[in-house]
Structure formats: C-alpha cells, structure tokens
Amino acid sequence: MPEIASKTFYLETFGCQMNAHDSEKVVGTLMAQGYRQVPTEEEAGLVLYNTCSIRDKAEQKVFHRLADFRKLAAQGKKFGVLGCVAQQEGEKIFERAPHVSLVAGSASYRNLPQMLVQLEAGNQRVTGLDDRQTDETFETEFTQRTNPCRAYITIIEGCDKFCAYCVVPYTRGKERSRKSDSVLAEARRIADGGYTEIQLLGQNVSSYRDPTGKRSFAELLSAVGEVPGIRRVRFTTSHPRDFTRDIVAALDAVPTLCDHVHLPVQSGSSRVLKAMLREYTREQYLERIGWLKASRRQPSITTDVIVGFPGETETDFEETLSLLDQVGFDGVFSFKYSPRPNTPALSLPDSIPDQEKARRLAVLMEHQRGIQVKNYRRHVGQTLQVMVEGRREARQQWIGRCSQNKTVNFTGAGTDLKPGEYRNVYVTQSFPNSLAGEMVV
Ligand code: SAH
Ligand code: SF4
Ligand code: F3S
C-alpha cells in the first residue's frame, strides 16, 4: 500500500511568475504520476509549498504556514517544501520543521517522480538539492496550465548577475537557456491549445543565449510573435545591462509584441548602483529609456526599486525620485532593502533603520502615485484593445488588460464574455492603477 494514501496533493505557490510557472510544471508532473490535486491542505495526502526567499518576509511566510498545519502531520499527511527557500535552507528545514519530509529546489524538479517513489516508500528525508550547477533546464511535456488567458514559457533559468542584495543566483543556480527551437515548438503547441497570449519568462530574459546559436533574444522574441494564432507576447524580466537596441527594434517591427517593457532600475544613484553591483550607471539606464521613448511604439515602462540599501543617503534617495520623474514610469514595484543569506551585501552594515526605510518607501510611493495619475489620464478618450480576464460581479464590470499591461475595467458587454476574448473599450475614467470604460460595439 502506498504511503501517501489516496495520492492527493495540495500545492500553494509564493513568489514570482517563474515560481507560478514551475508550479504548473510540478502539478503536471505529479498528475502524470497518478496524483490528483485538491483545493485544501485538509483533503491532501501530500502538502507542497513552492516558496520564495527574495525578502525575509517572503521566507517567513512558509514557516508560518508549516506551523499552522503542523497538527495535520499527525494524521499521516506528508509535507514538502519546494522552490527558493528549499534550495537556500536545504536540510536545515528538516530540523526547523520536523514534519517536512521533502525539500527540493527548482533545478531538481525533473527528478520529482523518483522523489515521490521515495516518499511513498516511507523515506522521511527526501531531498533534491544538488543540481544547481546543472546545464539542464526543466522542460516537461506535462505542464498543467492554470492561467486561462496567458501561457508562460521559461526561456532561461538561473542568474549569473550576483547583484549584491539578491538570493536568486544562490537559489536558482547558474544561468542556462533553453534551445530556441524548443521554445518555438512549445509556443506552437500553446497556440494550437487555443492560447493567444504568451509570456516569456526568466530572471533575466535579456541574457538569453541560444545553446544552438541560432537566435538572439530579440530574434526569438520576434519568432514567438510570428507564431500563427499568437496575438500578444510579453517578456519579463529584462536587465538594463543586457537590454540591447535590437529588442527595441523587434518591438517596432512585430505588432504582436506588447507595448510594455519591465526594466528594473533599483536605484537612481550611480553610487548606489555601483554598491549594488548592478553594472550600469544612472546615465546608461536613461540611455536605454531614451531608445524606448524614441521608438515608434513608445511602450509603457515599469520598474523595480529598492530603498534603504546599505549606505543610501538622502541625496541618493532623492536621485531615485528624480529618476522616477525623468522616466515617468507607468508602474513601480518598490521594496525596503532586506538583508539576505549568502549575498555580498550581507557584509555591509544594514545602515538604514527600518523606520527610515519605511519613510522612504512611503515618500516614493506617494511620489510615483502622482506620476501615474498623469500617465493614466492620457488614456481617457482612447479606444484600447482589451483581453478579458474576469468579471467583478458586485460592480457588474469586466476586468481585462490592454497591450500596455494596464488593468481596464469595463461595462456594456452583458454577461457573456469569456476569459481570453478581446474587446475594444472606450476609456472614460482613469485612476492611478487602472482605467475604466465602456465596450465599443
Ligand atoms: N531579475 C530581476 C529581479 C528579480 S527579484 C532583476 O534583475 O531585476 C524582483 C525584485 O525584488 C528585484 O528587482 C528587487 O527590486 C527586489 N529585491 C530583490 N532582492 C531584494 C532584497 N534583498 N531586498 C529588497 N528587495 C529585493
Ligand atoms: Fe537578482 Fe540581480 Fe539576478 Fe535580478 S539580475 S535575479 S536582481 S542577481
Ligand atoms: Fe522568489 Fe525565487 Fe522568484 S526567491 S522572486 S521565487 S526566483
């Protein structure tokens, strides 16, 4: 009799889109092994958490969740920790949460079937932690896509940039790209499956190097955009250091590539950027923004910012604010610096008190809000093509997204739209984070 009675599993995902997509692959792999997914921990024989350790708060979440459900272990349920906390903490997790019997990092998921056999055999400490130096990517024919509108394809795994604050190179291992022919074959399968939107994923998509040498990142992007049936292609995340002009040229040349580029800047101060080991200056970042602004498309630009990096002065912080003004981002994900294990910045004193980090974060968010109010207002009076994502019944509104990745809520379509359909919407109102309007018939 198998140890994991009923072969049922529950999976909860934390972290970035790469984790979300990894989970789609994990679900598919488990289902191919005869497992069935259930919606709650209580119903499952195997409880899995796919974890994130980008900031301390993210890491703590999984340990809280494990503590919350600890009593279920007494009923014979098995617990597994996957993802970035698993890779970072390794076997220490067995000490900290003794009811966990599987710890596996993202580079080991192709061995999940063997790990499941070990779990079923009653092994209390199954690990998949040794593969970070692998050359292989996790490709599987078993992906169980859960997003009804958007299909993800990982084109590059890992990261070799080693920014001073970041755990990713340690949790996801070295950079390895997938063959462009394999990416295109998956894009065609996705289109055949009825999807019209593809998002290419990687911690650093702009560092993509085709192992077969056939296509640059810009060429791959264009080729995915030309797959019959595909109407929208997005990509995330690009690193300013390898963001090249041919990517801008591809956006101008291929209409299916979306009007949006996410280009994390982290700081507007060249001094802080140097300490962060980002390998570009404020001026070099602004040069890339200049290319985008001079392009025919003039895509929407969003970014990530860290406040309170060790040694960040008030003047450095003000330089970040002035960069926000200069670029006029459509969205900024901003974070307080969080010291992380193994990273070079850990040797620097975490010099900015939490209260000051919080103040800078609040100032930055308020500042950016003003910029977005103006940016979003420009869309009032425009007609935008919107892909339907869902419905907000309480407000009798449809929710969708335009090519620029902005949320557009709209009315006037009755109740018969399905996720993934496209409609034209005349924008009547704007907010700092969304647009609202009416469907055009
Ligand atoms: N590969 C992407 C970033 C992925 S992590 C890039 O290079 O831009 C997503 C964001 O989390 C980062 O852009 C950064 O803004 C933030 N982040 C990463 N490590 C952090 C840390 N130690 N403290 C606070 N924010 C962090
Ligand atoms: Fe982290 Fe830097 Fe790599 Fe992005 S580029 S994942 S911030 S090390
Ligand atoms: Fe988090 Fe790992 Fe993604 S640390 S942000 S889940 S790569």
Side-chain angles (χ1 to χ4, degrees):
M1 194 176 122
E3 269 280 320
I4 302 169
S6 75
K7 282 202 161 190
T8 48
F9 72 97
Y10 167 84
L11 172 65
E12 185 170 344
T13 308
F14 304 88
C16 63
Q17 281 154 328
M18 294 203 68
N19 253 19
H21 184 41
D22 279 351
S23 283
E24 294 182 332
K25 300 185 204 175
V26 167
V27 170
T29 306
L30 262 66
M31 285 169 64
Q33 299 298 310
Y35 280 75
R36 184 168 57 86
Q37 191 171 17
V38 292
T40 63
E41 273 107 337
E42 283 79 4
E43 293 162 76
L46 173 63
V47 176
L48 298 172
Y49 297 118
N50 190 6
T51 61
C52 172
S53 75
I54 200 79
R55 285 165 292 274
D56 186 54
K57 253 196 194 150
E59 179 178 341
Q60 295 317 321
K61 258 191 208 160
V62 65
F63 289 106
H64 289 142
R65 195 68 100 250
L66 282 168
D68 289 347
F69 289 95
R70 181 184 207 106
K71 57 182 184 304
L72 293 181
Q75 303 165 12
K77 288 183 199 297
K78 295 198 177 285
F79 285 79
V81 178
L82 309 178
C84 291
V85 176
Q87 188 62 52
Q88 177 188 298
E89 294 299 298
E91 300 193 359
K92 280 189 265 172
I93 294 177
F94 295 130
E95 313 299 330
R96 205 164 154 185
H99 57 302
V100 170
S101 47
L102 169 69
V103 174
S106 63
S108 73
Y109 297 157
R110 65 183 170 284
N111 302 326
L112 270 173
Q114 293 92 299
M115 292 191 246
L116 291 171
V117 170
Q118 291 181 42
L119 273 181
E120 285 169 5
N123 190 335
Q124 292 299 312
R125 290 192 166 196
V126 180
T127 54
L129 295 168
D130 312 320
D131 290 352
R132 280 183 307 162
Q133 294 312 312
T134 182
D135 284 326
E136 290 180 55
T137 51
F138 179 40
E139 289 180 40
T140 167
E141 72 264 39
F142 300 125
T143 306
Q144 181 68 31
R145 299 192 180 276
T146 47
N147 186 320
C149 315
R150 180 179 285 179
Y152 296 113
I153 308 180
T154 311
I155 63 164
I156 175 167
E157 291 180 16
C159 182
D160 287 346
K161 287 280 190 286
F162 293 93
C163 301
Y165 49 82
C166 184
V167 289
V168 172
Y170 312 94
T171 62
R172 292 207 163 241
K174 68 172 186 175
E175 224 164 68
R176 49 214 191 269
S177 298
R178 182 170 171 183
K179 291 179 188 138
S180 65
D181 284 345
S182 157
V183 172
L184 283 169
E186 184 162 357
R188 284 186 215 105
R189 276 199 304 275
I190 285 168
D192 290 346
Y195 280 96
T196 59
E197 178 168 321
I198 288 180
Q199 182 157 357
L200 302 181
L201 293 180
Q203 281 304 340
N204 249 320
V205 285
S206 46
S207 306
Y208 177 80
R209 296 277 171 283
D210 187 353
T212 58
K214 265 194 197 169
R215 296 176 181 90
S216 66
F217 171 63
E219 286 164 345
L220 176 61
L221 190 60
S222 305
V224 172
E226 280 155 8
V227 168
I230 294 305
R231 294 175 67 170
R232 285 186 173 182
V233 180
R234 304 184 184 279
F235 55 99
T236 194
T237 298
S238 307
H239 189 290
R241 166 84 197 238
D242 354 275
F243 191 83
T244 44
R245 276 196 110 130
D246 58 349
I247 304 173
V248 185
L251 290 180
D252 270 350
V254 183
T256 49
L257 304 186
C258 285
D259 285 330
H260 175 219
V261 173
H262 184 63
L263 199 60
V265 66
Q266 314 300 358
S267 169
S269 152
S270 292
R271 206 184 64 81
V272 173
L273 288 170
K274 193 163 182 211
M276 287 177 163
L277 308 175
R278 286 290 285 182
E279 300 188 330
Y280 56 83
T281 60
R282 174 190 175 102
E283 289 67 35
Q284 284 165 331
Y285 183 83
L286 287 172
E287 184 189 14
R288 275 129 189 91
I289 297 296
W291 300 341
L292 290 166
K293 291 201 167 175
S295 72
R296 194 175 53 74
R297 278 290 191 95
Q298 302 192 5
S300 168
I301 307 167
T302 55
T303 200
D304 295 347
V305 169
I306 297 176
V307 298
F309 186 76
E312 183 190 68
T313 62
E314 187 61 29
T315 314
D316 292 320
F317 175 61
E318 279 164 14
E319 283 191 49
T320 299
L321 296 181
S322 84
L323 183 116
L324 298 190
D325 289 329
Q326 221 169 320
V327 178
F329 292 108
D330 276 336
V332 175
F333 297 93
S334 46
F335 311 99
K336 292 190 283 182
Y337 167 68
S338 167
R340 305 305 296 131
N342 308 315
T343 59
L346 209 56
S347 65
L348 307 169
D350 184 11
S351 59
I352 319 290
D354 190 60
Q355 219 183 351
E356 176 58 16
K357 284 182 190 164
R359 187 194 68 82
R360 290 183 192 176
L361 189 69
V363 169
L364 185 141
M365 287 166 81
E366 190 50 35
H367 195 87
Q368 177 58 24
R369 191 185 145 87
I371 294 171
Q372 278 174 229
V373 165
K374 279 197 215 129
N375 287 4
Y376 273 64
R377 199 179 286 147
R378 290 198 198 116
H379 293 290
V380 174
Q382 292 179 350
T383 299
L384 301 176
Q385 191 185 59
V386 173
M387 189 213 250
V388 180
E389 290 188 352
R391 184 166 169 83
R392 203 181 279 159
E393 216 42 75
R395 293 206 193 165
Q396 308 250 300
Q397 266 181 339
W398 292 98
I399 306 165
R401 226 169 256 275
C402 63
S403 168
Q404 290 203 339
N405 209 32
K406 291 172 179 152
T407 297
V408 184
N409 298 311
F410 64 99
T411 53
T415 52
D416 57 349
L417 297 182
K418 287 187 191 58
E421 287 186 26
Y422 292 83
R423 288 292 183 273
N424 288 329
V425 174
Y426 179 76
V427 179
T428 53
Q429 266 183 300
S430 71
F431 304 94
N433 282 302
S434 67
L435 301 168
E438 285 152 26
M439 195 182 94
V440 182
V441 233

